[in-house]
Each structure stands twice: as structure tokens, then as C-alpha cells.
Amino acid sequence: MQFEVMMHRDLENKEAGIFARCFRSGVGRIVEIGCGNGRLTCHLEKHAESVLGLDPCQADLDLARQCVGDAVQLAVGSGEEIPLEDGVCDAVVFTLSLHHQDSPRALKEAARTLNANGRILVIEPKANTLGASLFAVIDDESHRYVIAEAAIQDSVLKVVDYGDVLIQWTFQDYNEMVEYIFGYYGLKPDPKREPAMAALADARKNDIPLFIEDETRFWLLEP
């Protein structure tokens, strides 16, 4: 559907820009935590000699295999137990996934695998944006975002780069937005919860197309 292409294209372009900023000179081995269907893994592999993509969902890994190159290895796993020896990675990347882990444990595990010049890149959703609030009608993860950010701040890792990235989600109309958000969770639109989305959209409900602002935040970390 058109709106899915437009939404994901903006998201991917912005996050691919973060990769280019953080890995402009290229690296050897990258581990991606939460690679999902590979929509960002294919951008990461442009900056590395090899990529190990970990995700807990085999079905998503099967989809990822269709869009990544031979330099990418995929495996079921998480950031809490990376299947690599100490000091063998140039970078570990959490793509919108740190809040799905035991965040302090995952950051320590990522640091364990880094070589002397290694870095950790964390990309996380921001709470309280319109986009996050709309998705929170179905599944409010804002407390997990807070825990993940606190884990970064409380860790011994040094922040060497940091920033917020504005993302625009484009829908053909309000009904399409509702359909997409419920569908993201494998659900059909629920008339009992939809009014909460209408209240958030407010006057934009009648906009065609409908633009929804969202933001992600990234941290580039060193041991």
C-alpha cells in the first residue's frame, strides 16, 4: 500500500543517515540487535565488512534473508546474550530494540564484544511525540523507553555523539492511519479504542494526506 512505502521510506532514510554519520569511514564487523525483517540491516551492511543480525523471531529473519547480502549472517538471539567471544566486534547497533531487552545487561554484553576501538550505537523511539502517543493507544511502551535511556545514562559508557531525528509518517487519510496502527499489532480496528486516536489526531483527522510527526533519538557510545 502507498502509505506504508512512504512511511517506511522516510524512516529508513533518516536512520540510514545515522549509520552514515556514525560509520562514515567503514568498520569491520557489526552486530545488529533486533534486526527484524532486515529493513535497516541492508543499510548497515554498506558500512561493514560483515554483519551479524540477531532477532528473536525466526519468521522475521526469514524475511531479512531475502533483502540482505552474503556478508550478513542472521541468527535467533537477543542483546542479552550475544553469541560471540570478547573483543571481536567493531560496533554493536541496537535498532529500536534496547527497550525490548534487559537494558543494563544488554549494554554490558555489547561492551564485552567490542574491540579496543569499538562503539555502540543505540537508536530509540522518543516518548510523548504524536506518533508514539498514537501507537501507545494499543501498546504503551513509554516506560520502557525511560528505562533504556536511564540504562545509557547510568552505564560506564561514554557518549561521543547524540541527536534527535525528526520522522514524518504519511498516510492517505485518517482511516488508513487507524488501519495501519492496529494492523501493526496484528489487530483489526477496535471501535472502543479508536476514539482515543481521534482525540490525539484532533483537527488533523480530516487532513488528506495526513502527516504525523515522530522522533527517534540516537546515542553513539564508547567504553
Side-chain angles (χ1 to χ4, degrees):
M1 299 177 71
Q2 183 184 2
F3 74 90
E4 290 186 89
V5 173
M6 294 172 70
M7 289 160 56
H8 287 296
R9 181 176 297 157
D10 190 51
L11 182 63
E12 289 178 15
N13 287 345
K14 296 292 178 62
E15 291 175 341
I18 297 173
F19 298 155
R21 172 171 170 168
C22 295
F23 306 126
R24 61 174 62 91
S25 59
V27 295
R29 174 187 279 183
I30 292 178
V31 176
E32 182 187 11
I33 308 299
C35 65
N37 62 11
R39 67 179 182 83
L40 293 174
T41 316
C42 59
H43 295 285
L44 266 181
E45 66 176 314
K46 299 174 185 177
H47 302 282
E49 295 176 7
S50 66
V51 177
L52 170 61
L54 299 178
D55 197 272
C57 179
Q58 182 62 56
D60 282 344
L61 293 174
D62 291 341
L63 292 173
R65 185 74 271 166
Q66 300 173 29
C67 66
V68 298
D70 294 338
V72 177
Q73 178 186 356
L74 300 170
V76 173
S78 76
E80 296 173 19
E81 191 171 347
I82 299 173
L84 293 173
E85 298 177 355
D86 296 357
V88 296
C89 296
D90 296 279
V92 177
V93 178
F94 291 88
T95 47
L96 306 174
S97 62
L98 183 61
H99 65 280
H100 289 301
Q101 324 280 323
D102 177 331
S103 300
R105 176 180 174 183
L107 288 172
K108 290 179 182 178
E109 178 69 351
R112 177 190 66 78
T113 68
L114 294 178
N115 60 31
N117 298 312
R119 292 181 165 186
I120 299 170
L121 173 62
V122 179
I123 304 174
E124 277 288 296
K126 285 186 67 176
N128 302 320
T129 65
L130 179 55
S133 297
L134 286 163
F135 278 87
V137 172
I138 310 300
D139 183 17
D140 187 356
E141 295 187 311
S142 58
H143 64 290
R144 298 182 189 136
Y145 306 158
V146 172
I147 292 171
E149 184 164 352
I152 293 170
Q153 295 173 347
D154 293 342
S155 75
V156 297
L157 299 166
K158 177 184 177 182
V159 178
V160 295
D161 199 1
Y162 166 91
D164 294 336
V165 179
L166 179 65
I167 296 167
Q168 180 171 272
W169 298 64
T170 306
F171 300 89
Q172 291 177 0
D173 56 27
Y174 172 78
N175 290 333
E176 204 157 58
M177 183 201 76
V178 172
E179 178 186 347
Y180 178 83
I181 293 175
F182 277 95
Y184 180 83
Y185 297 101
L187 302 171
K188 293 183 179 180
D190 181 354
K192 293 182 179 180
R193 286 190 280 186
E194 181 275 329
M197 292 185 183
L200 289 165
D202 196 22
R204 302 187 193 198
K205 185 177 178 182
N206 297 318
D207 289 356
I208 299 176
L210 173 60
F211 300 109
I212 301 295
E213 295 79 27
D214 204 354
E215 284 187 86
T216 60
R217 175 169 289 172
F218 76 91
W219 296 261
L220 186 62
L221 311 169
E222 289 181 349

